[in-house]
Amino acid sequence: MLPPEEDEDLPAFCQALGLSGLADIHTHFLPPRMLRRVWEYFDQAGPLVGVSWPIRYKWSDEERVAHLRSMGVRMFSALAYAHRPDMAADLNAWTLAFAQANPGCLPSATFYPEPGVEHYVGQALDAGARIFKVHLQVGGFAPDDPLLDEVWGLLAEAGTPVVVHAGHAPVSTEHTGPGPFGSLLARHPALTAIVAHMGAPDYGAFLRMAADHERVALDTTMIFTEFFDKLAPFPAAALPLVRELGLAGKILLGSDFPNIPYPYARQIAGLARLGLGDAWLRAVCWENPVALFGSP
């Protein structure tokens, strides 16, 4: 089975694997004004990006949803993340409405350490939010900020997964890395967390956290692509643990679509080239996300 090189190759690839489609838990849909600013930041290779990052899919929401569906992506998310106070609640209203209007999109939400955060997180949960996203690098806050303690407890009790950009890549800050995230898990060991980008570049430490904590998983976002290999190459010695965790339900497909500088298919091709087996690919690309979130 040849790895898919272009997006139009993906439906046949899924069919050959015996999959009805793909379940991608790390995609982004944002309010138009915010999306333009994000794209401008990437175009300018801002300080938190650090490298040339020409975004490939600068299309309308409708075109991007249609493209995901044309590739066989049946589950996706609208991950937004707040980088200052007084914006998360409005983001949540937008992303939750987007999910309601686009079948297959997981109702998505975010939060920021600020007074009243537990109130709007509770509102988002009541409105049906099924996945949250926080970006410790862009947000510039510590995961164990006291203002968030009640929120983490609320999410742990609800069993609602939180995608956490906890790794140093592409640019490290004082709040990224296995240390701060480990402190969070020590306080809230029952938290259902998905470490974005497999915790790059500290892959080994984050893989061990997933192995040691029942409700910690990792997503594949941008890992095993030629682009990201130049930023944070994955150590071959860690692949046996990647296989073990994938088959145990702890690695999930993520892509960062549309904010990627290469065809979406390259993410899937990178996974296929690892040679970890068809069962592993089926688990990561469909079965593990569906087990966590339910069928789309």
Side-chain angles (χ1 to χ4, degrees), residues 16-100:
L17 267 182
L19 292 178
S20 60
L22 301 170
D24 185 342
I25 60 95
H26 194 136
T27 63
H28 297 283
F29 288 88
L30 301 170
R33 183 180 176 187
M34 183 178 184
L35 186 63
R36 286 195 299 271
R37 289 181 174 178
V38 168
W39 285 350
E40 288 170 0
Y41 193 88
F42 276 93
D43 286 344
Q44 295 164 8
L48 294 179
V49 173
V51 296
S52 176
W53 198 305
I55 291 174
R56 185 178 182 88
Y57 297 98
K58 286 187 178 179
W59 303 345
S60 69
D61 289 344
E62 294 77 12
E63 289 172 316
R64 283 180 282 126
V65 169
H67 191 64
L68 286 172
R69 290 177 175 153
S70 75
M71 294 186 293
V73 179
R74 296 181 55 205
M75 178 192 293
F76 56 97
S77 56
L79 299 186
Y81 41 89
H83 63 274
R84 56 174 172 76
D86 300 320
M87 70 181 297
D90 289 340
L91 281 175
N92 293 348
W94 191 93
T95 52
L96 291 170
F98 180 87
Q100 189 172 21

Side-chain angles (χ1 to χ4, degrees), residues 207 238-249 251 275-277 279-280 284:
L207 284 164
L239 286 177
L241 185 52
V242 169
R243 184 177 189 276
E244 177 184 334
L245 291 175
L247 293 174
I251 296 182
L276 299 181
W280 184 87
V284 170

